[in-house]
Amino acid sequence: MLFQIDSLWQILGWVLVFAGLIIMNEIGRRTKTGGILLFVVIPLILTVYFILAHVGLFGGADNPTVAYMDGWFHYFKLYAADIGCVGFMMIKYKWGIGKEKWFAWFPWFIVAANIMIAVVSDLESAFAAYSISGDFAGAWWASNEGVFIYGGWWNILNAIAGVINIFCMTGVINLYTSKDKNKSDMLWPDMTIWFIVAYDIWNFEYTYLNLPTHTWYCGVALLLAPTVANALWNKGAWIQNRANTLALWCMFAQVVPTFQISKRFSVLPSVYGGAQKGFAAIDMYDKAIELYQAGAGKTTAANDAMAAFGITANPTAQGVVAILALAANVICIAVIIKKSIIAGKNPYSNDVWVGTKDYVEAMERAE
């Protein structure tokens, strides 16, 4: 079991997030107006809101954004994803430098940067656990966002998988605009199901390990939204869909963070073993913040706090998925290397997956 599901509200919350991301992505991708509104105008408004909240307006320290989502990672992720959305629009609509050939490297760079952010976060968790227990067998630590995280060797495996995943992005400079009337999509034909599966398993594990109280939404609904769109009606545009839905989720999560940690919609992973029915992420928040602010977030006090909650770590699923993530990425890069050697071509300036179903269907949409 990956998650502790004990209420229909949790299922409803997931369905609402999944459907909302699908719908908002369609609004953002189909027209210039929709894209500019969602990925330029709204982020600018939110930036002003974040700044004012930090200087004491809108409730100051009690503002949900400041209280629950004030870590560097969440802001970095939001703006990195949104920059990707704007860059992809520049490419598909051929705005400014978006029509320059060298700018075709931008998607690879921004995705690689986002992956490396996650890799750093994984390593932080692993070494936080090491500082507490003296090994990588596993230990609880309390983050600055009020979350108890169980770090260990699984984080290291997933960090390695993430680095490999960067080099599984092939055909980097062969990007196209879709030939429909509105030029709705930036297409990356060589980003096929091979990369998508390897990425999805790795990224799910990343959220499962480091954003455990959010992962039911950002590790399942958020990852499935672009994957389903790519599989059923938007072939070749997975990376655009991924950036759009990620930015949209980050904006929502920054403004309404209590949605995914509330009593009604919170879903805990199985690592929180022994948690009673109805026990939610918000129940641990105050204690985690107390430890972090006292400088005890990376000490044995975190393990003691979790024991007091009646929670015993059950990292079995964390370890299993980490192994799967590493295996999927090793297999993907091995096939890429083999195909590149046989073809005698650089896999990053040339397409690797020519002739596969995904590649052919994406190229049929290309202008």
Side-chain angles (χ1 to χ4, degrees), residues 47 130 158 226 249 312 325:
T47 299
Y130 182 85
N158 203 54
W249 169 256
T312 302

Side-chain angles (χ1 to χ4, degrees), residues 78-320:
L78 189 162
Y79 288 105
D82 192 59
I83 288 170
C85 296
V86 174
F88 298 168
M89 284 195 294
M90 292 172 67
I91 291 173
K92 73 176 181 179
Y93 295 130
K94 296 180 172 54
W95 290 340
I97 58 174
K99 60 179 175 288
E100 302 295 334
K101 190 66 176 177
W102 62 266
F103 196 69
W105 278 95
F106 173 79
W108 181 91
F109 175 81
I110 199 70
V111 177
N114 273 274
I115 292 173
M116 284 307 301
I117 293 169
V119 167
V120 170
S121 187
D122 251 327
L123 293 176
E124 177 190 19
S125 186
F127 284 98
Y130 182 85
S131 70
I132 295 169
S133 63
D135 56 36
F136 294 105
W140 291 108
W141 65 283
S143 78
N144 66 323
E145 290 162 356
V147 179
F148 284 97
I149 298 172
Y150 198 69
W153 58 266
W154 33 85
N155 293 97
I156 296 176
L157 287 193
N158 203 54
I160 295 170
V163 173
I164 295 172
N165 191 250
I166 291 173
F167 297 98
C168 290
M169 292 185 283
T170 57
V172 175
I173 60 174
N174 297 326
L175 307 179
Y176 304 88
T177 296
S178 60
K179 61 186 177 183
D180 53 277
K181 183 178 69 173
N182 292 324
K183 302 188 183 305
S184 301
D185 301 301
M186 183 199 79
L187 304 177
W188 188 338
D190 216 43
M191 189 168 272
T192 67
I193 193 65
W194 283 81
F195 171 81
I196 294 170
V197 168
Y199 177 95
D200 279 359
I201 298 174
W202 161 77
N203 193 263
F204 168 77
E205 174 71 344
Y206 167 73
T207 66
Y208 198 66
L209 298 179
N210 302 283
L211 304 170
T213 57
H214 298 187
T215 190
W216 175 240
Y217 299 105
C218 71
V220 184
L222 175 57
L223 279 172
L224 282 179
T227 300
V228 168
N230 181 83
L232 300 183
W233 67 83
N234 198 7
K235 188 69 71 176
W238 178 86
I239 192 59
Q240 172 195 266
N241 298 334
R242 167 60 178 165
N244 288 357
T245 52
L246 177 58
L248 290 164
W249 169 256
C250 288
M251 286 186 270
F252 173 77
Q254 284 296 103
V255 178
V256 194
T258 52
F259 171 80
Q260 62 264 29
I261 64 173
S262 66
K263 289 283 188 179
R264 178 163 289 173
F265 294 109
S266 174
V267 176
L268 296 179
S270 60
V271 69
Y272 296 100
Q276 299 300 306
K277 182 176 180 179
F279 188 84
I282 202 165
D283 292 315
M284 298 179 278
Y285 175 80
D286 288 338
K287 186 61 179 180
I289 286 293
E290 176 189 326
L291 293 177
Y292 175 81
Q293 292 178 342
K298 296 180 181 180
T299 69
T300 55
N303 287 296
D304 295 339
M306 292 303 275
F309 282 123
I311 292 176
T312 302
N314 177 17
T316 302
Q318 292 184 321
V320 170

